[in-house]
Amino acid sequence: QKVIQLLEGMLAKGKDEKHGEQVQFAAYKQFCDDTSVDKKRAIEEAAEHIGMLKADIAKYTSDSATLGKEIAGHDEDISVWNGDKKAVTSVREIEKADYDALHKDYSESVDALQRAVAVLKKMAQNRPQSSLAQVSALQSLRLIPDEAKKAIDAFLQNGQEPEGLEVSAPEAAGYEFQSHGVIEMLEKLLDKFI
């Protein structure tokens, strides 16, 4: 009998433990079911987010490739423009050197023409015969006595004023200036330069 009591006690104890395990199992099962739903929902949201991020990555990769091609095109344009700029700058420097040389040449030509015209205009006069010019130059010398100067002056006045029918041919100049045409030509050339 004691064995039966012992067995019945064990049976009761086994049932109590079984019932406790069933309650505990039900609580765990409820926790797992609740957690499983939350985790499935979180996995679905994460999978959707992963899909969106993969789409963004693909878009940005495509944009990066497109922009890389555009950058390469712009870099090529920049290198071509820099080459063009160097070429144009080189041509401009050559043209400036040519212009400076031409400007210097023209300036020197204009200066030479102006000086030539001035010299020719200064010389634009007829010169008397040298014998009378030498005689008239004697009057200015200090070494010649006053009586001689008066005689030279009377001689020169006698030769200059003919009386009545005593008209003689005009005295020819020692040098007659004939470069008026040259002066006109130089002035026209100067006008073209200026």
Side-chain angles (χ1 to χ4, degrees), residues 2-22:
K2 235 178 173 190
V3 173
I4 293 181
Q5 272 182 345
L6 193 58
L7 286 174
E8 284 178 0
M10 281 174 67
L11 180 65
K13 188 177 172 189
K15 284 185 183 181
D16 284 341
E17 285 181 4
K18 180 182 173 193
H19 179 43
E21 285 180 10
Q22 284 177 341

Side-chain angles (χ1 to χ4, degrees), residues 87-159:
V88 167
T89 302
S90 173
V91 168
R92 172 67 182 112
E93 289 171 356
I94 291 169
E95 288 176 348
K96 184 178 183 321
D98 291 347
Y99 170 77
D100 288 343
L102 185 64
H103 183 266
K104 181 181 177 189
D105 184 40
Y106 279 166
S107 296
E108 290 172 353
S109 298
V110 166
D111 184 49
L113 282 171
Q114 287 172 337
R115 284 184 285 131
V117 168
V119 167
L120 286 174
K121 282 186 177 180
K122 188 190 294 184
M123 299 175 107
Q125 57 188 353
N126 294 334
R127 305 230 178 5
Q129 288 287 341
S130 61
S131 62
L132 290 179
Q134 289 172 351
V135 170
S136 64
L138 291 175
Q139 288 181 319
S140 63
L141 296 176
R142 289 184 185 176
L143 298 175
I144 301 209
D146 288 335
E147 297 86 25
K149 286 182 183 179
K150 288 178 185 175
I152 292 172
D153 192 33
F155 171 74
L156 290 175
Q157 286 180 359
N158 282 342

